[in-house]
């Protein structure tokens, strides 16, 4: 229940997830932001117009998914770490690429194996860090190669495993 534990329900996610058709066409933003707060850097950092103008600063973000190019600027800009990019067309056979924000140390390196976690923080499988990008001095954006069936669930990685590695 979102307002009790911060975890969105399947119904919450169904409202914001891109269509299966759009997911099959290339990288697309997924904004898991469900609480009205005065915040809009996702919109102001989107150069393509995909994240639509806010009528009120407290609005929840709305998107025109057809305009997303998967650049990841919004992932780095969101202070709530609520923005992700899913690309079901990359990553090779039976895999996808997911971009997630990362504000911890260590920062995983290219080629490093990682343990994927879901929205609750539970380990759900293994992935590979393809790259870690930093836009200016902002939050890192990790590009993770993940099994395709985990692309809509993998929303973090285990820091404990990185620290031990
Ligand atoms: S990934 Fe880039 S184009 Fe897509 S919504 Fe984010 S900032 Fe806009
Ligand atoms: S920047 Fe992040 S927290 Fe702020 S409105 Fe956009 S998605 Fe929500």
């Amino acid at each position: 229940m979102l307002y009790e534990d911060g975890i969105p329900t399947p119904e919450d996610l169904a409202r914001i997830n891109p269509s299966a058709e759009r997911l099959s066409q290339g990288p697309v933003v997924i904004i898991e932001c469900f609480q009205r707060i005065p915040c809009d850097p996702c919109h102001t950092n989107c150069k393509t117009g995909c994240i639509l103008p806010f009528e009120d600063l407290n609005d929840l973000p709305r998107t025109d998914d057809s305009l997303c190019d998967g650049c990841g600027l919004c992932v780095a800009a969101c202070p709530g770490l609520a923005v992700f990019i899913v690309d079901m067309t990359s990553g090779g056979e039976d895999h996808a690429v997911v971009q997630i924000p990362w504000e911890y140390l260590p920062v995983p390196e290219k080629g490093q194996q990682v343990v994927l976690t879901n929205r609750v923080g539970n380990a759900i499988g293994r992935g590979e860090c393809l790259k870690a990008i930093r836009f200016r001095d902002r939050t890192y954006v990790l590009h993770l190669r993940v099994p395709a069936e985990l692309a809509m669930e993998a929303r973090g990685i285990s820091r404990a495993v990185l620290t031990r590695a």
Side-chain angles (χ1 to χ4, degrees):
M1 178 71 77
L2 187 66
Y3 291 103
E4 292 176 4
D5 57 16
I7 310 298
T9 65
E11 292 74 27
D12 294 325
L13 296 170
R15 286 202 306 275
I16 55 96
N17 279 339
S19 66
E21 180 183 12
R22 178 62 186 86
L23 282 165
S24 73
Q25 293 170 347
V28 63
V29 68
I30 298 179
I31 305 184
E32 300 188 6
C33 176
F34 299 101
Q35 209 155 14
R36 286 172 54 83
I37 54 172
C39 179
D40 70 350
C42 53
H43 161 65
T44 57
N45 282 273
C46 178
K47 307 305 181 200
T48 68
C50 170
I51 302 178
L52 301 173
F54 286 39
E55 293 172 8
D56 181 301
L57 187 57
N58 292 288
D59 283 349
L60 297 179
R62 297 172 299 123
T63 60
D64 178 346
D65 290 343
S66 69
L67 298 176
C68 185
D69 64 7
C71 70
L73 280 168
C74 53
V75 180
C78 170
L81 310 183
V83 184
F84 308 88
I85 309 294
V86 169
D87 185 355
M88 301 300 295
T89 67
S90 295
E93 191 176 353
D94 298 330
H95 283 74
V97 174
V98 177
Q99 296 181 42
I100 68 165
W102 182 252
E103 289 192 327
Y104 301 105
L105 292 174
V107 177
E109 297 174 1
K110 178 180 179 181
Q112 187 167 353
Q113 297 297 303
V114 297
V115 171
L116 306 168
T117 57
N118 61 13
R119 297 176 183 84
V120 184
N122 293 334
I124 56 172
R126 288 194 166 266
E128 175 189 353
C129 179
L130 299 177
K131 54 185 171 182
I133 292 179
R134 200 174 197 195
F135 299 102
R136 296 187 288 276
D137 59 348
R138 293 181 183 158
T139 302
Y140 279 94
V141 178
L142 305 184
H143 290 231
L144 305 173
R145 181 173 185 263
V146 309
E149 68 272 17
L150 298 181
M152 301 304 280
E153 290 300 320
R155 292 295 178 265
I157 61 172
S158 167
R159 179 171 175 268
V161 173
L162 283 176
T163 303
R164 285 201 300 272

